DNA sequence: TTACATGCAAACTCTTTGCATATTA
DNA sequence: TAATATGCAAAGAGTTTGCATGTAA
């Protein structure tokens, strides 16, 4: 779920501030990379990012994309995900927190939110005296109803 | 939490069966690798595995370790984890399911179980018509009480 | 004796780094 | 002009693959 344009501008300003605090600069390339992440539907790999930024900036290199992603992670503006294919994927840290359901048949990733699960996680950590920094919940599902998987059949799934 | 020796032997037999079904063989190397995983306390990388197996079998190569791990994953006997450092870690799929708390300060990994969180996950997937294959819940905590981190201070943590 | 398995080294993928050049405050 | 950024290519990690040799049913 991409952010609306007002939120995007707010994020860019925030990036500029965070960079300034670190003695760094908001360059054209950094802004381009961040805007793609902010506007993206899903979870982009560095390769996805590089390809998309190159549509507006032929000469940008992989190194700049990776370096920018690292700065964005350090600033807490984006988050890294790994869904098990060995590739890091990035998404905006803005917006509501959500978890992921990944279809093992077709690779489609769905976002979902569950406040009660969130609550229980905090409780589980607190009961051990720990403070949560962040968390990741990935649920792998057998198949889904995306075009790639086709509609789920009418017969009941093998629920347990 | 390593398995007891009775469970370990059961797992080895299961491996043999699964291999047989696939027209493969239980070799010395495959058994050695699997036994290390079954007996291990925590979550081992391929490098950890290779180092430990080499203590009993000087000549085993990385390729054999990786190939064995792949077969074990295919057989559903072990699971792969990625805690964000770009290294795959493996653990036995036997025993109760558990989730992980990872200390961002020192890297220590704690296992925990929470039946209610499990239940809610199943509910969340079912409500969308999906069947869960597996899931991963990793909670990142600011610091812990391991020797590397030192004891948690007495002042209240910043619980929310 | 035929198919599968191993060990080695080379290849491959993703990511990071070194360095000369370019850009910004 | 002094510091930060960039692009390129090379290096690095972790993992996979090709191939000749070894091993097991």
């Amino acid at each position: 779920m991409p952010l609306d344009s007002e939120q995007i501008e707010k994020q860019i300003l925030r990036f500029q501030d965070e960079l300034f605090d670190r003695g760094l600069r908001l360059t054209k390339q950094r802004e381009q990379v961040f805007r793609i992440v902010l506007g993206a539907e899903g979870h982009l790999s560095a390769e996805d990012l590089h390809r998309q930024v190159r549509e507006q900036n032929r000469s940008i290199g992989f190194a700049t994309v990776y370096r920018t992603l690292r700065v964005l992670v350090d600033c807490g503006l984006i988050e890294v995900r790994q869904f098990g294919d060995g590739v890091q994927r990035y998404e905006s840290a803005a917006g509501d927190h959500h978890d992921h359901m990944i279809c093992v048949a077709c690779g489609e990733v769905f976002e979902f939110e569950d406040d009660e699960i969130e609550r229980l996680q905090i409780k589980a950590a607190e009961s051990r005296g720990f403070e949560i920094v962040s968390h990741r919940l990935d649920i792998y599902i057998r198949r889904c109803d995306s075009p790639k998987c086709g509609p789920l059949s009418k017969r009941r799934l093998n629920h347990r």
Side-chain angles (χ1 to χ4, degrees), chain A:
Chain A
M1 52 198 81
L3 303 176
D4 67 37
S5 58
E6 190 190 336
Q7 287 175 305
I8 290 182
E9 300 313 316
K10 207 178 286 180
Q11 287 290 108
I12 298 291
L13 290 176
R14 173 98 187 280
F15 189 22
Q16 191 160 36
D17 287 350
E18 295 282 349
L19 288 168
F20 185 81
D21 290 348
R22 292 166 171 74
L24 307 177
R25 299 160 188 165
L26 181 60
T27 60
K28 181 183 65 165
Q29 289 89 336
R30 284 178 178 159
E31 184 170 343
Q32 286 172 332
V33 169
F34 193 24
R35 280 188 188 277
I36 301 270
V37 176
L38 291 170
E41 190 63 50
H43 315 81
L44 303 174
S45 65
E47 196 189 337
D48 296 332
L49 259 301
H50 181 246
R51 187 173 352 95
Q52 291 197 37
V53 176
R54 259 171 53 92
E55 287 172 15
Q56 33 183 124
N57 179 348
R58 278 330 269 179
S59 69
I60 194 170
F62 262 103
T64 301
V65 172
Y66 277 109
R67 283 188 280 233
T68 300
L69 289 169
R70 175 146 33 137
V71 175
L72 283 164
V73 171
D74 289 347
C75 294
L77 294 168
I78 66 173
E79 290 178 354
V80 193
R81 305 269 158 190
Q82 296 181 197
F83 294 129
D85 59 355
V87 183
Q88 317 222 135
R89 288 164 198 285
Y90 302 84
E91 70 179 314
S92 166
D96 290 333
H97 173 80
H98 57 262
D99 295 310
H100 297 96
M101 291 193 194
I102 303 100
C103 176
V104 297
C106 75
E108 184 80 20
V109 177
F110 303 88
E111 300 179 350
F112 76 99
E113 291 173 52
D114 193 311
D115 293 340
E116 208 176 340
I117 293 180
E118 304 281 313
R119 263 199 323 99
L120 288 171
Q121 289 181 38
I122 293 167
K123 206 174 105 186
E126 281 190 353
S127 73
R128 288 163 183 78
F130 299 147
E131 179 193 0
I132 294 186
V133 175
S134 66
H135 68 92
R136 269 164 220 182
L137 170 58
D138 299 327
I139 297 181
Y140 293 84
I141 59 176
R142 191 165 308 284
R143 66 186 295 267
C144 70
D145 51 7
S146 79
K148 275 174 284 184
C149 266
L152 293 174
S153 83
K154 254 131 278 172
R155 71 184 154 68
R156 261 190 106 349
L157 293 169
N158 220 3
H159 289 158
R160 37 131 307 110

